[in-house]
Amino acid sequence: MDIREKLKDSILFFDGAMGTMLQERGLKRGEVPETYNIIYPQIVKEIHQKYIEAGTDIITTNTFGANELKLKDTSYSVEEIIDAAVKNAKEVAGNKYVALDMGPIGQMMEPMGTLKFERAYDIFKRQVIAGTKAGCDLILIETISDLYEMKAAVLAAKENSNLPIFATMTFEEDGRTFTGTDPISMVVFLEGIGVDVLGMNCSLGPNESKHIVTKILDYASIPVMIQPNAGLPKIVDGNTVYDVTPEEFGTTIEELQSLGVRVFGGCCGTNDNFIREVVNRLKDKDSAKIENKEFTAVTSATKNVIIDEVVIIGERINPTGKKKFKEALRNKDIDYILKEAILQKEKGAHVLDVNVGLPEIDEISLLRDVTKEVQSIVDLPLQIDSTDPVAIEAAIRGYNGKAIINSVNGKESVMKDIFPIVKKYGACVVGLTLDEDGIPSKAEDRVKIAEKIIKRAKEYGIDKKHILIDCLVLTASAQQEEVLETIKAVKMVKEKFNVRTTLGVSNVSFGLPNRRLLNKTFLSMALASGLDAPIINPKDDDILETVYAYKVLANEDRDAKVYIDKFKHVKNVKQDVKTSDLTL
Amino acid sequence: MDIREKLKDSILFFDGAMGTMLQERGLKRGEVPETYNIIYPQIVKEIHQKYIEAGTDIITTNTFGANELKLKDTSYSVEEIIDAAVKNAKEVAGNKYVALDMGPIGQMMEPMGTLKFERAYDIFKRQVIAGTKAGCDLILIETISDLYEMKAAVLAAKENSNLPIFATMTFEEDGRTFTGTDPISMVVFLEGIGVDVLGMNCSLGPNESKHIVTKILDYASIPVMIQPNAGLPKIVDGNTVYDVTPEEFGTTIEELQSLGVRVFGGCCGTNDNFIREVVNRLKDKDSAKIENKEFTAVTSATKNVIIDEVVIIGERINPTGKKKFKEALRNKDIDYILKEAILQKEKGAHVLDVNVGLPEIDEISLLRDVTKEVQSIVDLPLQIDSTDPVAIEAAIRGYNGKAIINSVNGKESVMKDIFPIVKKYGACVVGLTLDEDGIPSKAEDRVKIAEKIIKRAKEYGIDKKHILIDCLVLTASAQQEEVLETIKAVKMVKEKFNVRTTLGVSNVSFGLPNRRLLNKTFLSMALASGLDAPIINPKDDDILETVYAYKVLANEDRDAKVYIDKFKHVKNVKQDVKTSDLTL
Ligand SMILES: [Zn+2]
Ligand SMILES: [Zn+2]
Ligand SMILES: [Zn+2]
């Protein structure tokens, strides 16, 4: 039975630690554990056997560090080690599943370290190909603390095998990974990119994991797994020992199962006794139902944005109508662009749109580079904005997190180009309500295009929660009758499909004086009608103040705390002083 | 057959002039024509006879000036004259209807003249009682140029008889009556107060009447009548003659019939030849269908406000929270209040709310007096705002035009008190969505109260087009969750009942800093959701500018003409100057 089938309504058990067990069987500090696959296959097989006897459903190959960097001082290739490891597992597996284990590469990635994304990808790719060829049943990517590294590993797995992917990251007690990823960002990213199971492992014991697992469960719509350590490590007589007994371990795991976790196993310090305890306690339980969580979210590596309140998408990284910006692009003056990014963040933008489209530049490389540079300096999620699918894919491939792609529209050819990218990399996507016949003037017809986009996306496996519909703002100066059609379309799209909506607000005032007054008035109207994510200039105080006010009125800024803090010095000016001066 | 029945699907013919015919039969300048009813009844009867032979359905008593002021130098009382006149008509009428003719009193009313409203009412009342007693079939109030005088006459007719009321005013060539009433204001007022037929007579020939009749037809939902002169008067050999032949007269009348006029007759200069011509041309025509015109409107004597665009209701004539205003009320300092009225008009208010409720004052007389005084100095329609039905009736009785009553609500006792006043005087009414149980927190429940108000109003004969629903603005500081419920309720009320809506906007920001920001943001949101008539402070520039912007966005200010004119000097300030200053 394919494990994906089994996942639908079963609790699944992984095994426990490999390293701890190898140490008990003679592995010395400095030895490369993966070499045991070849030197001492019996030991590895005995460990697998023990876990099978304890009741595990899945045994994990002894390949945690089987990457070309960690193996380079051994006399074995990645392929030799992995081939042997999978063979060892399969020889004892019987009807159990064999998981190809992939741990972190062991080097810091860019921009903090020097390991490039595509290099990391290639390293993982070699492991994936070897493991797949050797016949493992699934890939377990685990103990990852860098979301970017996780992306390289998942992409390598997706692009070089069809195996199920189980992905777990390792969190510190403060609830973030070492490089700062929080559980929600992880869920948003991993679900987006399309793994089969996600969760956490290592670092913490089951008790310390609870508050993190709870968060993961609150947001995940796919099965959640946990492989905690046997408590926290202590050094006793120069040896690392863990402070939780199998029974304590089992008690907490049982609790986590009742909260909704579906896949269990152990990490450092656990052995077959821990697994037996877990299996015995849980084997007769019904697996928790998984609800589809209806929220829409994007994320960088460390900051997620859930679009259930007003989300400000900063519009300023865009050369349209900006002489200086164009000049900066032509001169590859990335600093100029980065300053725009920083200023927008300081002003309160939640997401930054990144558009570098100019006819005379190489958009493909520039969009990719600017995206990367902006991510290195601000932690906001980005919206990749281009009409060129190649440029979009180049940028999104190197993007760390889950981005928004701006945009697809109702043209069949565009949907055919863009939706596979959205699906593969796991992005949100803006759907513009225009098609081969242009922008319909009537709201009803824009809603029809929205419907087509949502339907076609579904055919690509993209749920509507990843779509933001843009009903398109036209200029009041040239198409005055259509301004309210946009507002009406937003209302209808919201009511009919319950999808998130976005609008490029400032377009409305083009060609008229006192643009800011029109922009802020239109923004209030659109927000009241269901606009979720306005694309605006966060450096326009009027616009920003409108958002602050809206958040009070919409009960988003509870008790007006932010508002009062921001405006407590603004007096409620009375303007009726002139009454008594007027002579009748 | 009751003439009201006949009106439903028939064209009806009045007779032509009485005065012209009497002059031809010897009436001298200086003689009182109405005395002929007693001195020369044969002459009067002969004239009626001629019109009956010409084919008229209705003959009009010779009582145009039969009021106590015009008759005071004769030896006859109003009752004697009217009794004789009706007798004369009835003696020859056969199966024809007899209309009691009432022309203008002949004195200027307050505030321009000295004739008080209740005095005018009493004068007309005497005529109505006499005519009704004598057995006439309907009352024709005609050749009125002052809307206030018309109101006195119609009220006198309504309160002292059950006879059908036909009411026509007389317009100058510029399209207004001598005292400034335009055709739409007339329609709004007369339909509101509940006459059976309305229209125009005298002053102009049929050709010059056309543009005015067309306007009347565009707005009227009840039968329209016209009694033009025989063209325009010329003095030939010291005599007044008219320049239109019966045939020319008939040609134009035929055209007016095809446009929708249903009741025809002639005024000065016409005789039985004119009426014969008209009858012959029209007698086989089908009467035009009358469509219910779905607009909502209020009016003063000279300025109507149709609520199909944003209508600003000025909130400033209200003592709540205003120390100086309260002081002015206590001192009966009407000037202070009038200044508020003028300032609000200057700032762009379309309607003024008038509220003088203070526990320690005599609200009944003060509300009546202030309403009258405000009407004498600004030409805007007013909204009479009180919780005391007696005060409301006192004010609305003396109001010149069609006002808004603020307010009724879902309490049965309040509806029982207020709706009869609304119906009798012909007002619009604000319906607050609260009832015996207070203000519901959920939109759905407020909508239910709106439904009850609309239903109950219908039972009193009040169409929903005369109702403005107020879904009630609560303060964001105390009831933050309910701010959006109000917006939602406005949307629902609008969609479900297609009624006009109003809201007291500034309440939303009570207790918070920077109130104007919250007010204008809320206003934009509410306008986008279907708010028609915000009750606001027109002296708050932010609020006013928001309305200007909204009108551009909602395509009410076509081509943004007003907006551009208002803001052409306001530069589109760029705020991104700091980008280059930032050091990375
Ligand atoms: Zn571990
Ligand atoms: Zn006349
Ligand atoms: Zn006349």
Side-chain angles (χ1 to χ4, degrees), chain B residues 47-100:
Chain B
I47 296 169
H48 288 322
Q49 195 62 47
K50 284 228 177 258
Y51 282 125
I52 289 170
E53 280 159 19
T56 186
D57 296 307
I58 305 160
I59 53 174
T60 309
T61 58
N62 176 26
T63 54
F64 181 80
N67 66 63
E68 59 188 62
L69 298 186
K70 283 188 178 165
L71 293 182
K72 74 169 189 294
D73 294 332
T74 71
S75 49
Y76 307 106
S77 70
V78 170
E79 288 73 16
E80 284 166 333
I81 293 286
I82 290 181
D83 193 58
V86 176
K87 266 193 194 123
N88 290 336
K90 288 184 73 129
E91 272 177 42
V92 297
N95 62 349
K96 307 300 177 191
Y97 300 98
V98 174
L100 173 72

Side-chain angles (χ1 to χ4, degrees), chain A residues 287-471:
Chain A
S287 62
K289 286 233 156 49
I290 303 168
E291 281 169 37
N292 187 29
K293 311 298 191 302
E294 279 298 353
F295 70 103
T296 299
V298 290
T299 190
S300 67
T302 57
K303 198 174 206 108
N304 63 76
V305 171
I306 299 175
I307 308 179
D308 59 356
E309 296 198 346
V310 182
V311 165
I312 298 174
I313 302 181
E315 69 177 14
R316 299 295 300 166
I317 303 181
N318 190 319
T320 311
K322 304 195 194 84
K323 219 171 142 180
K324 277 191 180 172
F325 200 105
K326 284 179 184 164
E327 213 178 282
L329 282 182
R330 280 188 210 101
N331 302 335
K332 298 203 177 167
D333 177 1
I334 302 273
D335 273 7
Y336 185 90
I337 299 168
L338 296 182
K339 284 173 191 168
E340 278 291 357
I342 292 167
L343 280 171
Q344 289 185 93
K345 180 183 165 161
E346 279 173 359
K347 280 294 192 171
H350 302 108
V351 174
L352 301 181
D353 187 89
V354 178
N355 181 318
V356 297
L358 263 193
E360 62 269 38
I361 59 146
D362 174 10
E363 191 188 352
I364 297 170
S365 65
L366 193 60
L367 186 61
R368 185 195 59 209
D369 295 348
V370 167
T371 300
K372 215 169 260 180
E373 293 283 353
V374 170
Q375 280 216 296
S376 75
I377 204 148
V378 302
D379 59 358
L380 301 181
L382 303 182
Q383 173 163 290
I384 313 296
D385 184 359
S386 170
T387 54
D388 179 358
V390 180
I392 287 176
E393 180 158 16
I396 203 130
R397 187 174 183 90
Y399 176 83
N400 189 1
K402 178 186 178 191
I404 305 174
I405 290 174
N406 187 7
S407 58
V408 75
N409 58 48
K411 291 182 190 166
E412 292 294 345
S413 62
V414 173
M415 291 192 283
K416 219 176 128 188
D417 282 344
I418 298 297
F419 281 146
I421 302 173
V422 172
K423 179 64 185 169
K424 178 173 179 181
Y425 295 97
C428 281
V429 63
V430 172
L432 310 180
T433 55
L434 62 86
D435 65 7
E436 291 81 1
D437 300 322
I439 303 172
S441 56
K442 288 285 147 207
E444 287 74 11
D445 296 322
R446 293 191 212 171
V447 173
K448 273 184 205 146
I449 296 179
E451 187 163 23
K452 180 169 71 177
I453 292 172
I454 291 166
K455 200 182 139 206
R456 197 72 78 248
K458 207 176 172 69
E459 293 166 13
Y460 286 87
I462 301 162
D463 189 274
K464 69 181 159 79
K465 74 181 175 184
H466 304 297
I467 300 174
L468 289 95
I469 294 294
D470 183 338
C471 294

Side-chain angles (χ1 to χ4, degrees), chain B residues 120-314:
Chain B
Y121 172 89
D122 287 338
I123 291 169
F124 285 121
K125 176 180 170 180
R126 203 170 154 190
Q127 295 167 260
V128 167
I129 290 174
T132 308
K133 203 170 157 197
C136 63
D137 302 305
L138 59 114
I139 296 171
L140 173 65
I141 306 164
E142 56 140 327
T143 324
I144 307 287
S145 57
D146 185 342
L147 195 79
Y148 208 29
E149 185 172 7
M150 179 60 97
K151 178 166 182 175
V154 174
L155 264 189
K158 280 183 80 170
E159 292 184 337
N160 299 286
S161 85
N162 291 313
L163 294 174
I165 301 169
F166 290 51
T168 59
M169 295 186 78
T170 186
F171 292 86
E172 320 263 308
E173 220 161 345
D174 69 356
R176 289 187 176 262
T177 69
F178 177 71
T179 55
T181 298
D182 63 285
I184 301 170
S185 296
M186 178 191 74
V187 172
V188 167
F189 167 72
L190 285 175
E191 263 195 49
I193 201 158
V195 301
D196 298 277
V197 176
L198 60 81
M200 64 182 290
N201 77 302
C202 203
S203 298
L204 306 170
N207 252 315
E208 300 78 38
S209 302
K210 240 190 278 179
H211 71 285
I212 299 166
V213 171
T214 310
K215 272 221 175 108
I216 293 173
L217 287 166
D218 281 349
Y219 290 87
S221 305
I222 61 171
V224 169
M225 77 181 273
I226 179 164
Q227 302 208 76
N229 287 348
L232 296 172
K234 289 179 196 168
I235 308 296
V236 176
D237 299 337
N239 295 317
T240 305
V241 296
Y242 289 85
D243 64 354
V244 164
T245 66
E247 203 185 335
E248 288 163 346
F249 191 87
T251 309
T252 313
I253 288 291
E254 208 173 336
E255 203 183 317
L256 293 174
Q257 191 276 331
S258 75
L259 294 174
V261 179
R262 311 240 310 195
V263 181
F264 304 91
C267 203
C268 309
T270 61
N271 56 35
D272 50 326
N273 294 328
F274 287 77
I275 299 306
R276 186 171 299 106
E277 183 73 30
V278 169
V279 171
N280 286 341
R281 283 169 182 266
L282 301 184
K283 63 171 187 266
D284 296 327
K285 305 253 184 194
D286 289 331
S287 62
K289 285 233 159 51
I290 302 168
E291 282 169 38
N292 187 28
K293 311 299 190 303
E294 278 298 354
F295 71 103
T296 299
V298 289
T299 190
S300 66
T302 56
K303 198 174 206 110
N304 62 76
V305 171
I306 299 175
I307 307 180
D308 59 355
E309 296 197 347
V310 183
V311 165
I312 299 173
I313 302 181

Side-chain angles (χ1 to χ4, degrees), chain B residues 268-380:
Chain B
C268 309
T270 61
N271 56 35
D272 50 326
N273 294 328
F274 287 77
I275 299 306
R276 186 171 299 106
E277 183 73 30
V278 169
V279 171
N280 286 341
R281 283 169 182 266
L282 301 184
K283 63 171 187 266
D284 296 327
K285 305 253 184 194
D286 289 331
S287 62
K289 285 233 159 51
I290 302 168
E291 282 169 38
N292 187 28
K293 311 299 190 303
E294 278 298 354
F295 71 103
T296 299
V298 289
T299 190
S300 66
T302 56
K303 198 174 206 110
N304 62 76
V305 171
I306 299 175
I307 307 180
D308 59 355
E309 296 197 347
V310 183
V311 165
I312 299 173
I313 302 181
E315 69 178 13
R316 300 295 298 166
I317 303 181
N318 191 320
T320 311
K322 304 195 194 85
K323 219 171 142 183
K324 276 191 180 172
F325 200 103
K326 284 179 186 164
E327 213 178 283
L329 283 183
R330 280 189 210 101
N331 303 334
K332 299 206 175 163
D333 177 2
I334 302 273
D335 272 7
Y336 185 91
I337 299 169
L338 296 183
K339 284 173 192 169
E340 278 292 356
I342 292 167
L343 280 171
Q344 289 185 94
K345 178 180 168 164
E346 277 173 0
K347 280 295 193 170
H350 303 108
V351 174
L352 302 183
D353 188 88
V354 178
N355 181 318
V356 296
L358 264 194
E360 62 269 39
I361 60 146
D362 173 11
E363 192 188 353
I364 297 170
S365 65
L366 193 61
L367 186 60
R368 185 195 59 207
D369 294 348
V370 167
T371 300
K372 214 170 261 182
E373 293 283 354
V374 171
Q375 279 215 296
S376 74
I377 204 148
V378 302
D379 59 359
L380 302 181

